[in-house]
Amino acid sequence: MTRREYDEWLNEAASLARALRYPISGDMVNDSAGIVFGDDQYAAFENGLWSREAHELMVIFESLNEAAVDGLPASASHGSEYSGLCDKLMIVHPGKFCPPHFHQRKTESYEVVMGEMEVFYAPTPVQVGDEEVLSFNPMPAGSPWPDGVDLPAGREQTYARLTSHVRLKSGDPKFVMHRKHLHAFRCPADSPTPLVVREVSTYSHEPTEHAADTPTPLPAWAGLHDNAFVAPAANTGRLTTNIR
Amino acid sequence: MTRREYDEWLNEAASLARALRYPISGDMVNDSAGIVFGDDQYAAFENGLWSREAHELMVIFESLNEAAVDGLPASASHGSEYSGLCDKLMIVHPGKFCPPHFHQRKTESYEVVMGEMEVFYAPTPVQVGDEEVLSFNPMPAGSPWPDGVDLPAGREQTYARLTSHVRLKSGDPKFVMHRKHLHAFRCPADSPTPLVVREVSTYSHEPTEHAADTPTPLPAWAGLHDNAFVAPAANTGRLTTNIR
Amino acid sequence: MTRREYDEWLNEAASLARALRYPISGDMVNDSAGIVFGDDQYAAFENGLWSREAHELMVIFESLNEAAVDGLPASASHGSEYSGLCDKLMIVHPGKFCPPHFHQRKTESYEVVMGEMEVFYAPTPVQVGDEEVLSFNPMPAGSPWPDGVDLPAGREQTYARLTSHVRLKSGDPKFVMHRKHLHAFRCPADSPTPLVVREVSTYSHEPTEHAADTPTPLPAWAGLHDNAFVAPAANTGRLTTNIR
Amino acid sequence: MTRREYDEWLNEAASLARALRYPISGDMVNDSAGIVFGDDQYAAFENGLWSREAHELMVIFESLNEAAVDGLPASASHGSEYSGLCDKLMIVHPGKFCPPHFHQRKTESYEVVMGEMEVFYAPTPVQVGDEEVLSFNPMPAGSPWPDGVDLPAGREQTYARLTSHVRLKSGDPKFVMHRKHLHAFRCPADSPTPLVVREVSTYSHEPTEHAADTPTPLPAWAGLHDNAFVAPAANTGRLTTNIR
Ligand SMILES: [Mn+2]
Ligand SMILES: [Mn+2]
Ligand SMILES: [Mn+2]
Ligand SMILES: [Mn+2]
């Protein structure tokens, strides 16, 4: 991906975000905001963002990532990394995907701002070690996948455990994705516009290049990386963007 | 406040929210969404919502109040009531206030969607019992109050400790209000439109009439009420709305 | 209608218009912008704008009414009053109507901004005197009326000749209403929001109180009133609003 | 300009238009909507739409171009080509221009939807032949140009007669550009977003490739082309777009 391709992608996305009244400040449009999930996914730029081909790449504009540690009783600091507040706008072009992953700590919610969002997820949580977890209001079963979902070449198997499907649109109630559930989503390939989604979640532990100097509120938070992508290449691709 | 006055207030507010693309579903427009902070504040309806007089009343449309307990390690359940996710749209008419209060548990953030928001707050936290609390990124000092802020009659003293002022507008970075900080806000009296603010926060423990049947994720959450208003009348008024 | 009722109606409507990005300047919110079509229609305020009852009243915010006479060849001044440019935002509450009327000179187009618009019209033009008129692209036939359209009491007969129906929504192509066609429209009674429509048309010859001092570009334009309402009471009500 | 470059330009622009609620239907996104004003201006694609360099190119989405001939008295058909209704959304990237031109017949008005619009114009009309024209409400004088307006290389002289400048932003009153006045405009080079402007005008006589099959309401309208660009290359470039 060339610098020109990257800048065009980001500038158009930021303009769309502003048109939709998302609060964009200059430093949110940076070299970690455009995400290509692994070296093979840069092939998306051979035919461009509007080819409607299946690839894994997206833009994230993050307006808030607040640890919410201030004012917490010291006695409650254990587990604070499961808390906090994050607000992001995610922009995905037609046919493109946010690839399969889960977060051990982060609970998410989705609000579609423009377009329609196809969410693919596992209805039961990933077991992390032998950890016992709470259950209060489990994920809904969702529906089976519809026909005709074109998956990214070579990554089809990474979607296998995400057997539930839901399609969300603007005005729908917020959809909650509990932590430890595998999830992915895409913009339908025939969409006239990119998908635009606001994600309100607990804190995002993502050591991107842009976030490299973010201080750590508590020693227990140091070095946390809370994204576990199914495809190893997506895992490494998440944190750095290769701009020529 | 008559039923007609209430319904006009709520229906106009919900229409404004929809115009601004906030996800409103029918059950969000209910008899707990319009809030009058105490019996004396119903006087706002003598001259109406557009009198520009100082009173304490507002609309809150809540699109999300998620405990985020699912998937939490059982070992981290202590303190979980300081976590969770809440998303609200707040609509305040010119001259009107959200009155002084603090939350022991809830950390908030503000995003102005339309109009301008005058925030009044205490730059240092309230001490709750002899609890030791964490400090990582304290509140900014803000500025002294500007001249000409007309306070609600008889409630002037409840604003005395909120010595910091900041004025926010659409497109500004999110403004974080840490838990345990006294805060209030208003829509400027000369505004051509109501103030519209999106608040993303941790879970709201508010036992309103509408929320009466909401189940509790953990025994420790039962009966929590996390709003502490300075004016006793605001405290009682928060939870029920008297519609004739 | 009291001053308070009028001001609340107009201020809420102007706020909605601003939320939808319509260019509102202060002088557009005036005592001719809220229109009640005849003395009997003030009954709408007995139960208020959200009663969903059928009455004839609406708000019009006019951002442009340009004669477009400048630069016209003097030889083409005959007929110039059929030309010009007008841009309005029209806001109609659920169940309310813009009543049946036609314009001898004004051709209109509708763009729904929020809600849905039920248009009722006569598919053939009114014959004005023995005037011969041009025909190029006649009105479409439309559909018969759907069931369940509750008409304003006592005015049912004024709708009799408007036999065609079309329902328009946001994103639809512009719908053109040719001059000399009887037309009316309403916001569906069960709508969660007011109907908001942008009308782009040729010049509006409307001698409202607010427009009383507007200068006339050519002597032939003096005293023109281009609105012909079927109900005589609507005709007189159009130009003045009785605010107590 | 490659097909990919063109399609990316148009698809991003149409998405922005939809985000801003402009009524886009599929056939409005066509190969005449993206306009490059002359062969030399394709150089804009060497460094791309976000280079902030001065070039003459823009997108126009036309939602309405209505002759408004129906219902016109036959006796008033002379001069009807100065009338009619056109509604367009124009999208201009930072630093880019709509080049100097005038319309003998078309009167325009501008409403900024996003960004800021720098208008450059001649305050007095072009004399067309020895035609006598009407004057009612002449153009305002405007201001002198600000410093730092980078003009398209080789086209500087075509701006010489456009000595007046005005800067418009969202919410401003509609700005009328009378027919026969030279005008151009740009998006400021340092803008974070493209400029988006709604133009409401009288009929656009523009024989673009896309409009080639549009029928003519009256014989006098046949073959009319109402755009007169100062730069001959802009004149020819207006009507066809060269997509490789
Ligand atoms: Mn995720
Ligand atoms: Mn609060
Ligand atoms: Mn009409
Ligand atoms: Mn022009």
Side-chain angles (χ1 to χ4, degrees):
Chain A
M1 178 175 46
T2 63
R3 168 57 60 184
R4 173 180 159 183
E5 283 170 328
Y6 184 80
D7 286 352
E8 290 181 354
W9 181 24
L10 269 283
N11 281 322
E12 295 293 347
S15 298
L16 194 58
R18 289 176 192 268
L20 294 164
R21 302 179 189 267
Y22 197 73
I24 300 286
S25 40
D27 76 324
M28 290 164 58
V29 187
N30 59 57
D31 284 0
S32 291
I35 305 167
V36 184
F37 292 94
D39 289 348
D40 53 333
Q41 299 305 304
Y42 288 87
F45 290 92
E46 286 170 19
N47 294 320
L49 290 167
W50 286 93
S51 70
R52 302 179 184 280
E53 295 164 328
H55 285 109
E56 296 176 346
L57 76 168
M58 67 191 296
V59 173
I60 297 180
F61 294 123
E62 186 179 277
S63 63
L64 180 73
N65 201 19
E66 167 58 43
V69 153
D70 291 77
L72 196 67
S75 67
S77 65
H78 175 69
S80 64
E81 67 272 22
Y82 290 80
S83 180
L85 297 171
C86 186
D87 193 313
K88 292 170 173 176
L89 199 75
M90 309 190 293
I91 301 182
V92 187
H93 275 70
K96 308 304 181 226
F97 287 77
C98 173
H101 66 287
F102 75 95
H103 312 281
Q104 187 179 331
R105 300 168 189 82
K106 186 170 69 150
T107 293
E108 302 178 349
S109 67
Y110 309 136
E111 172 188 338
V112 175
V113 183
M114 190 167 74
E116 302 203 7
M117 181 187 200
E118 290 195 87
V119 183
F120 312 95
Y121 66 99
T124 53
V126 171
Q127 175 70 39
V128 175
D130 56 359
E131 181 185 81
E132 181 197 351
V133 298
L134 303 179
S135 176
F136 170 57
N137 188 19
M139 293 293 298
S143 300
W145 285 37
D147 290 336
V149 178
D150 185 27
L151 292 177
R155 300 230 173 152
E156 296 85 350
Q157 286 312 309
T158 64
Y159 291 78
R161 285 181 285 160
L162 289 63
T163 54
S164 292
H165 175 268
V166 64
R167 186 166 175 139
L168 307 174
K169 61 179 193 306
S170 174
D172 282 353
K174 300 261 196 177
F175 187 86
V176 174
M177 183 61 64
H178 285 312
R179 55 174 70 85
K180 296 187 170 73
H181 283 262
L182 282 161
H183 58 283
F185 58 89
R186 75 154 184 169
C187 176
D190 60 357
S191 176
T193 70
L195 166 66
V196 184
V197 178
R198 184 191 286 252
E199 180 189 291
V200 169
S201 73
T202 58
Y203 191 86
S204 282
H205 302 269
E206 289 175 325
T208 61
E209 292 191 336
H210 183 73
D213 300 328
T214 305
T216 297
L218 289 167
W221 292 43
L224 287 183
H225 183 189
D226 194 36
N227 300 336
F229 288 88
V230 179
N235 236 5
T236 50
R238 170 68 186 89
L239 300 184
T240 54
T241 308
N242 294 319
I243 307 166
R244 282 186 282 122
Chain B
M1 178 176 46
T2 63
R3 168 55 62 184
R4 172 179 161 184
E5 283 170 328
Y6 184 80
D7 286 353
E8 289 182 354
W9 181 24
L10 269 284
N11 281 322
E12 295 293 346
S15 298
L16 194 59
R18 290 176 193 269
L20 294 165
R21 302 180 190 266
Y22 197 74
I24 300 286
S25 40
D27 76 324
M28 289 164 58
V29 187
N30 59 57
D31 285 0
S32 291
I35 305 167
V36 184
F37 291 94
D39 289 349
D40 53 333
Q41 300 304 305
Y42 289 88
F45 290 92
E46 285 170 20
N47 296 319
L49 290 167
W50 286 93
S51 70
R52 302 179 184 278
E53 295 164 327
H55 286 110
E56 296 178 345
L57 76 168
M58 67 190 297
V59 172
I60 297 181
F61 294 123
E62 186 179 276
S63 64
L64 180 73
N65 201 19
E66 167 58 43
V69 153
D70 291 76
L72 195 68
S75 68
S77 66
H78 175 69
S80 63
E81 67 271 23
Y82 290 80
S83 180
L85 297 171
C86 185
D87 193 314
K88 294 170 171 176
L89 199 75
M90 309 189 294
I91 301 183
V92 187
H93 276 70
K96 309 305 181 223
F97 287 77
C98 173
H101 67 287
F102 76 96
H103 312 281
Q104 187 178 332
R105 301 168 187 82
K106 186 169 68 149
T107 292
E108 304 178 348
S109 68
Y110 309 136
E111 172 189 338
V112 175
V113 183
M114 189 167 73
E116 303 203 9
M117 181 187 200
E118 290 195 87
V119 184
F120 311 94
Y121 66 99
T124 54
V126 170
Q127 175 70 39
V128 176
D130 58 358
E131 182 185 78
E132 182 197 351
V133 298
L134 304 178
S135 176
F136 169 55
N137 189 18
M139 293 294 297
S143 300
W145 286 38
D147 289 335
V149 178
D150 185 28
L151 293 175
R155 299 230 173 150
E156 296 84 352
Q157 285 312 309
T158 64
Y159 291 79
R161 285 180 286 162
L162 290 64
T163 53
S164 291
H165 175 268
V166 64
R167 186 166 176 141
L168 307 174
K169 62 181 193 303
S170 175
D172 282 352
K174 299 263 198 177
F175 187 86
V176 173
M177 182 62 63
H178 285 311
R179 56 173 69 85
K180 297 187 170 74
H181 284 261
L182 282 162
H183 58 283
F185 59 87
R186 76 155 185 168
C187 175
D190 59 356
S191 176
T193 71
L195 165 68
V196 183
V197 179
R198 184 190 287 252
E199 181 188 291
V200 168
S201 73
T202 58
Y203 191 85
S204 282
H205 302 270
E206 288 174 326
T208 61
E209 292 191 336
H210 183 72
D213 299 328
T214 306
T216 297
L218 289 168
W221 293 44
L224 286 183
H225 183 190
D226 194 34
N227 299 336
F229 288 88
V230 179
N235 236 7
T236 49
R238 170 68 186 88
L239 299 184
T240 53
T241 308
N242 294 320
I243 307 167
R244 282 186 282 123
Chain C
M1 178 175 48
T2 63
R3 168 57 60 184
R4 173 180 161 184
E5 283 171 327
Y6 184 80
D7 286 352
E8 290 182 354
W9 181 24
L10 269 284
N11 281 322
E12 295 294 345
S15 298
L16 194 58
R18 289 175 193 270
L20 294 165
R21 301 180 191 269
Y22 196 73
I24 300 286
S25 39
D27 76 324
M28 290 164 57
V29 186
N30 59 58
D31 285 359
S32 291
I35 305 167
V36 184
F37 291 94
D39 289 348
D40 54 333
Q41 299 304 306
Y42 288 87
F45 289 92
E46 285 170 20
N47 295 320
L49 290 167
W50 286 92
S51 69
R52 300 179 185 279
E53 296 163 328
H55 286 110
E56 297 177 345
L57 75 168
M58 67 191 296
V59 172
I60 297 180
F61 294 124
E62 185 178 275
S63 64
L64 181 72
N65 201 20
E66 167 57 44
V69 152
D70 291 76
L72 195 67
S75 67
S77 66
H78 175 69
S80 63
E81 67 271 24
Y82 289 80
S83 179
L85 297 171
C86 185
D87 192 315
K88 294 171 171 176
L89 200 75
M90 308 189 295
I91 301 183
V92 187
H93 276 70
K96 307 305 179 225
F97 287 76
C98 172
H101 67 288
F102 75 95
H103 311 280
Q104 187 179 331
R105 301 168 188 82
K106 186 170 70 151
T107 292
E108 303 178 349
S109 68
Y110 309 135
E111 172 188 340
V112 175
V113 183
M114 189 167 73
E116 303 204 7
M117 181 188 199
E118 290 194 88
V119 183
F120 311 94
Y121 66 99
T124 53
V126 170
Q127 175 70 39
V128 176
D130 56 359
E131 181 185 80
E132 182 196 351
V133 298
L134 303 178
S135 177
F136 170 56
N137 188 19
M139 294 293 298
S143 300
W145 285 37
D147 290 335
V149 178
D150 185 27
L151 292 177
R155 299 234 173 147
E156 296 84 352
Q157 286 312 308
T158 64
Y159 291 78
R161 285 181 285 162
L162 289 64
T163 53
S164 292
H165 175 268
V166 65
R167 186 166 175 140
L168 307 174
K169 62 180 192 306
S170 175
D172 282 353
K174 299 262 197 176
F175 187 85
V176 174
M177 183 62 63
H178 285 310
R179 56 173 69 86
K180 298 187 169 72
H181 283 261
L182 281 161
H183 57 282
F185 58 87
R186 76 157 184 167
C187 176
D190 60 357
S191 175
T193 71
L195 165 67
V196 184
V197 179
R198 184 191 287 251
E199 180 188 291
V200 168
S201 73
T202 58
Y203 191 85
S204 282
H205 302 270
E206 289 174 327
T208 61
E209 292 191 336
H210 183 72
D213 299 328
T214 307
T216 297
L218 288 169
W221 294 41
L224 287 183
H225 183 191
D226 194 36
N227 299 336
F229 287 89
V230 179
N235 236 6
T236 49
R238 170 68 186 89
L239 299 184
T240 53
T241 308
N242 294 318
I243 308 166
R244 281 187 281 123
Chain D
M1 176 175 47
T2 63
R3 168 57 61 184
R4 173 180 160 184
E5 283 170 328
Y6 184 80
D7 286 352
E8 291 181 353
W9 181 23
L10 269 283
N11 282 322
E12 296 292 346
S15 299
L16 194 58
R18 289 176 193 271
L20 294 165
R21 302 179 191 267
Y22 197 74
I24 299 286
S25 41
D27 76 325
M28 289 165 56
V29 187
N30 58 59
D31 285 0
S32 291
I35 304 167
V36 184
F37 292 92
D39 288 349
D40 53 333
Q41 298 305 304
Y42 289 86
F45 289 92
E46 285 170 19
N47 295 320
L49 289 167
W50 286 93
S51 70
R52 301 179 185 279
E53 295 163 329
H55 285 110
E56 296 177 344
L57 75 168
M58 67 192 296
V59 173
I60 297 180
F61 294 124
E62 185 178 277
S63 64
L64 180 72
N65 201 19
E66 167 58 41
V69 151
D70 291 75
L72 195 67
S75 66
S77 66
H78 175 68
S80 64
E81 68 271 22
Y82 289 80
S83 179
L85 297 172
C86 185
D87 193 314
K88 294 171 169 175
L89 199 74
M90 310 190 294
I91 301 183
V92 187
H93 275 70
K96 309 305 182 223
F97 288 76
C98 172
H101 67 289
F102 75 95
H103 312 282
Q104 187 179 331
R105 299 169 189 83
K106 186 170 69 149
T107 292
E108 303 178 347
S109 68
Y110 309 136
E111 173 188 338
V112 175
V113 182
M114 190 167 73
E116 303 204 7
M117 181 187 200
E118 289 194 87
V119 184
F120 311 95
Y121 66 101
T124 53
V126 171
Q127 175 70 40
V128 176
D130 57 358
E131 181 183 80
E132 182 197 350
V133 298
L134 303 179
S135 176
F136 170 57
N137 189 18
M139 293 292 298
S143 300
W145 286 38
D147 289 336
V149 178
D150 186 26
L151 292 176
R155 300 230 173 151
E156 296 84 351
Q157 286 312 308
T158 65
Y159 291 78
R161 284 182 285 162
L162 289 64
T163 53
S164 292
H165 174 268
V166 64
R167 187 167 175 138
L168 306 174
K169 60 179 193 307
S170 174
D172 281 354
K174 299 262 196 176
F175 187 85
V176 174
M177 182 62 62
H178 285 311
R179 56 174 70 84
K180 297 188 170 72
H181 283 262
L182 282 162
H183 57 283
F185 58 88
R186 75 155 185 169
C187 176
D190 60 357
S191 175
T193 71
L195 166 67
V196 184
V197 178
R198 183 191 288 252
E199 181 188 291
V200 168
S201 73
T202 58
Y203 191 85
S204 281
H205 301 270
E206 289 175 327
T208 62
E209 291 191 337
H210 183 72
D213 299 328
T214 306
T216 297
L218 288 168
W221 293 43
L224 287 184
H225 183 189
D226 194 36
N227 299 336
F229 287 89
V230 179
N235 236 6
T236 50
R238 170 68 186 89
L239 300 185
T240 53
T241 308
N242 295 318
I243 307 167
R244 283 185 283 121

